[in-house]
Amino acid sequence: MGGGSIAANNKNFKINYARSLFVFLILIYFSFALPAQDSPLIQKNESFALAQVYMNLSLTEKYFDSLSTSRISKIIPYEENVLESFENKKFIRQNANLYNFSYSLLNFNKAKLLFRDRREVNRDKLVEWKNELGLANRYYKRALEKPMFTRLDTSFYDLINFNQDSEKSLYWGIENFRAKFTPYFNNDIYPEYQKLFFSAKRANNFNFLALWSSAAIYDLSLEFSILNAMGEKITNYLKPSGDIIYTLDRKLDLISRYIQLKYIASDQFNKTLTEFQIRELYDSYDSFNKDLKGEKDRFIIQELNTAVSKTLYNELQKKYPHEKVQIAYSINNPSPSGVEAMEYIKIDQYFFPDPAPLASANITVENYQPSSTVLGDVDTHISGILRTAGYRNQLHYYYDLDGFALATSLEKFNTNGSTIAEDERWITHLGSEGKFSYYEIFKSLFFEIESEFRMFVFIVASKNVTFSTEPPSPGDVEFLIQHSYETLPKDLKEKSLPNKNLTVIVYYFHQNDIGQVPELELSGTLSALDHLNLAEINNLIRND
């Protein structure tokens, strides 16, 4: 790690790898904890990436109204690209619930964003509304094909806040927007229905296909129930279809029913009806007439008035005479399929990953604290300086190499050295009931804009620290729920290590208004020593 008293190894090139802070926190706080550090690991980056996508889209949906359009417009395509990058069919199949639910959230957010900009809407835009909400509903249903939240251990879902409340919230969210979209869809085709009404009323021109085609644009619930009851086979295929069936407004439904009744009363309908069908016909007319009287739409009041309704009744009576009979009657009314992807393994020790994740900056002090040969004394020295500098209750310990690693909690900081208020400095990481929740961490970071975050890691060992050249690669999700040590383990406190080095690692994340979690800063603009100076802990690397 460097040959000299203090060897800096900062990256001097500008690269902006998108680094999920969520993934990194999992890596640091819950580490690759295995009984032995050299145990084989099964990498499952997809699991973490999918969890991150879900949380980002979930937070976007939940706090949609408080987020700017520009920010949401950046979040959506980014997360869509991540979802589209999953190619492992087995992984998708095993995580079908979360995968499809995330896609549902993606399309729901798209629909909400389209609806936000509704000052000038045309048919193309309205169809886009319908398509996006339809996809949201389709993926939502797919997510439910396998029972959710029935597994014995729901720890992983708890960590990312994926639960029955999430499912219910999305269901009612989609239903709410279905109701919001419905009047726009009905109003868009209403002029066409008015023209078809006049064509039937004045010229006995009955274009049922045009009625259906207009309604089908928006999957509106047009059903030719009157004609179907009369055995008119040409309407069998004219049924509503789509991911979401929207309710046809009553004023449009009245026009549809009028045209059906008008057609039956005309010479173009030449079927002989049974007595039962005739009764059904007049029941349909009575229902139509009752709804007509309750409609307040101006066009209906003017064009489908009492006189028009009476004329229609007389035409029906002329063709199918019927005397109403009052009939009294009564009606006597008499899982878990497993989610195989994420199993959990209990462990006994927590290790900091080796090699260490790619860092923003690092510095090594060789032959650190030579007068302190016991690791417990070295820890007392380091932790004492950190506690004095404000890191009390913000320290996390791990086994590492032949010594130990000490990490600080993620903190917000200013690059100009100005102080951050204590209540804003630390990233909240405890969810409800004291459970560790990455959803809460993700949530707190999600709303930070143009902010800097940092984490220090101090490794004391005789062996050299090595670094990965790849993005932080967490192991199985099993390790998410495992905690770091609050204090240095007893066996390490008593361990003698005369020849040792101190490696200070800085993980520096920059948050800007990109709508994503912070990115790992690799430009090298701030050295490890710069960070130590800003944190006022530069005396930590001095040898006594």
Side-chain angles (χ1 to χ4, degrees):
M1 283 296 302
S5 60
I6 298 180
N9 187 23
N10 299 322
K11 302 296 182 181
N12 295 318
F13 50 90
K14 285 189 176 286
I15 304 177
N16 264 328
Y17 293 111
R19 295 289 185 262
S20 163
L21 187 51
F22 160 66
V23 171
F24 178 75
L25 287 170
I26 291 172
L27 184 63
I28 298 298
Y29 287 126
F30 295 105
S31 73
F32 295 135
L34 292 170
Q37 275 185 288
D38 59 352
S39 296
L41 299 175
I42 300 174
Q43 303 300 329
K44 287 191 177 179
N45 293 326
E46 294 100 334
S47 299
F48 291 90
L50 181 58
Q52 177 186 324
V53 169
Y54 162 73
M55 289 191 296
N56 211 354
L57 292 172
S58 176
L59 287 166
T60 301
E61 191 281 319
K62 184 174 182 179
Y63 297 97
F64 191 93
D65 293 339
S66 64
L67 298 174
S68 68
T69 297
S70 62
R71 189 177 187 196
I72 297 171
S73 298
K74 293 171 184 175
I75 294 172
I76 289 174
Y78 181 92
E79 302 305 336
E80 186 169 23
N81 287 337
V82 177
L83 282 172
E84 290 176 351
S85 71
F86 296 124
E87 297 179 350
N88 187 327
K89 293 182 179 179
K90 181 179 179 181
F91 170 80
I92 293 173
R93 183 175 65 255
Q94 291 178 334
N95 295 277
N97 295 130
L98 190 58
Y99 176 80
N100 286 303
F101 201 88
S102 297
Y103 255 116
S104 180
L105 283 169
L106 173 75
N107 291 109
F108 186 40
N109 281 314
K110 283 186 178 182
K112 293 177 73 171
L113 187 59
L114 290 169
F115 185 69
R116 174 181 280 187
D117 184 21
R118 58 184 182 277
R119 289 166 295 181
E120 295 181 9
V121 294
N122 54 38
R123 180 160 293 181
D124 288 341
K125 289 184 178 179
L126 292 176
V127 169
E128 197 174 358
W129 292 12
K130 183 208 72 168
N131 290 342
E132 293 298 348
L133 195 62
L135 284 172
N137 194 59
R138 183 188 306 175
Y139 280 109
Y140 170 79
K141 289 181 177 179
R142 286 182 184 176
L144 300 182
E145 288 177 359
K146 282 187 175 182
M148 294 194 294
F149 321 122
T150 56
R151 54 201 292 177
L152 295 177
D153 190 345
T154 61
S155 301
F156 175 68
Y157 285 171
D158 291 341
L159 287 172
I160 63 173
N161 208 43
F162 182 48
N163 50 40
Q164 289 182 336
D165 289 340
S166 310
E167 184 264 319
K168 291 177 182 177
S169 176
L170 182 56
Y171 171 81
W172 288 113
I174 293 173
E175 283 296 302
N176 182 39
F177 271 78
R178 182 181 70 84
K180 289 182 178 181
F181 288 1
T182 298
Y184 286 89
F185 297 164
N186 278 281
N187 290 337
D188 184 59
I189 67 170
Y190 194 25
E192 297 167 20
Y193 268 54
Q194 293 171 355
K195 292 178 182 179
L196 292 170
F197 166 78
F198 284 129
S199 182
K201 178 183 177 183
R202 297 169 181 171
N204 275 354
N205 184 10
F206 309 103
N207 194 339
F208 296 111
L209 184 59
L211 278 175
W212 175 82
S213 298
S214 295
I217 294 171
Y218 301 115
D219 296 328
L220 289 161
S221 58
L222 172 65
E223 295 184 3
F224 297 105
S225 56
I226 299 175
L227 288 179
N228 287 333
M230 301 301 110
E232 190 63 29
K233 295 181 180 179
I234 63 170
T235 64
N236 284 348
Y237 69 95
L238 301 181
K239 296 179 180 180
S241 62
D243 293 297
I244 297 177
I245 305 302
Y246 294 86
T247 302
L248 189 72
D249 195 83
R250 187 168 67 176
K251 59 182 182 286
L252 284 84
D253 184 53
L254 285 169
I255 289 176
S256 170
R257 284 190 278 169
Y258 170 83
I259 294 175
Q260 292 177 69
L261 291 168
K262 180 75 171 173
Y263 170 68
I264 293 170
S266 73
D267 294 337
Q268 298 178 39
F269 183 80
N270 53 17
K271 289 184 178 293
T272 299
L273 302 181
T274 65
E275 285 297 319
F276 177 77
Q277 287 176 318
I278 291 174
R279 285 198 300 270
E280 278 195 297
L281 175 62
Y282 282 96
D283 286 343
S284 297
Y285 172 82
D286 288 342
S287 176
F288 161 77
N289 199 45
K290 179 181 179 181
D291 290 342
L292 192 61
K293 292 177 180 178
E295 181 56 51
K296 304 300 182 183
D297 179 74
R298 180 177 298 179
F299 177 85
I300 298 297
I301 293 173
Q302 291 178 348
E303 301 297 336
L304 258 176
N305 50 40
T306 303
V308 174
S309 178
K310 182 65 175 176
T311 299
L312 176 61
Y313 179 78
N314 291 337
E315 291 172 352
L316 289 171
Q317 279 287 351
K318 182 178 179 181
K319 188 172 183 180
Y320 298 106
H322 176 66
E323 183 177 350
K324 292 185 180 181
V325 179
Q326 299 294 330
I327 302 177
Y329 66 94
S330 63
I331 299 176
N332 295 321
N333 292 318
S335 245
S337 66
V339 177
E340 304 169 1
M342 299 171 184
E343 298 178 352
Y344 296 83
I345 301 173
K346 291 187 177 181
I347 56 176
D348 298 318
Q349 293 180 310
Y350 310 119
F351 288 92
F352 189 80
D354 178 30
L358 185 64
S360 303
N362 63 82
I363 188 171
T364 296
V365 181
E366 296 183 347
N367 193 26
Y368 184 65
Q369 295 295 309
S371 61
S372 299
T373 59
V374 178
L375 290 182
D377 294 337
V378 179
D379 170 49
T380 299
H381 173 73
I382 296 174
S383 61
I385 293 173
L386 291 172
R387 290 188 177 94
T388 301
Y391 290 88
R392 186 178 300 276
N393 300 322
Q394 305 296 338
L395 304 180
H396 311 271
Y397 291 85
Y398 308 85
Y399 286 88
D400 191 29
L401 301 174
D402 58 351
F404 70 92
L406 169 57
T408 64
S409 295
L410 187 74
E411 62 176 319
K412 186 177 179 180
F413 76 103
N414 292 328
T415 55
N416 62 5
S418 59
T419 304
I420 298 287
E422 189 68 17
D423 60 346
E424 297 179 2
R425 179 178 177 183
W426 305 106
I427 301 304
T428 303
H429 62 277
L430 285 179
S432 60
E433 300 177 358
K435 295 179 181 178
F436 195 90
S437 171
Y438 279 108
Y439 180 83
E440 294 300 325
I441 294 179
F442 199 89
K443 177 179 172 181
S444 65
L445 291 170
F446 185 84
F447 292 102
E448 296 289 351
I449 297 175
E450 290 296 335
S451 298
E452 317 298 328
F453 301 93
R454 174 180 60 207
M455 175 183 291
F456 289 105
V457 179
F458 306 94
I459 298 177
V460 177
S462 66
K463 298 180 180 179
N464 290 332
V465 176
T466 59
F467 291 88
S468 170
T469 59
E470 300 296 325
S473 300
D476 290 342
V477 177
E478 292 89 342
F479 305 113
L480 287 175
I481 60 172
Q482 305 303 322
H483 293 270
S484 57
Y485 300 105
E486 294 182 359
T487 60
L488 189 66
K490 183 179 179 181
D491 60 324
L492 288 177
K493 285 183 180 180
E494 299 171 352
K495 183 175 182 178
S496 177
L497 197 66
N499 300 316
K500 57 196 173 301
N501 301 327
L502 169 68
T503 299
V504 180
I505 305 173
V506 181
Y507 294 99
Y508 165 26
F509 298 90
H510 174 70
Q511 168 75 62
N512 56 36
D513 190 15
I514 60 171
Q516 308 302 328
V517 291
E519 294 179 349
L520 185 66
E521 176 60 52
L522 295 173
S523 66
T525 53
L526 289 175
S527 68
L529 188 56
D530 290 332
H531 282 283
L532 291 170
N533 287 331
L534 287 171
E536 298 182 350
I537 54 174
N538 55 342
N539 57 329
L540 192 146
I541 61 174
R542 297 173 187 165
N543 268 327
D544 294 337

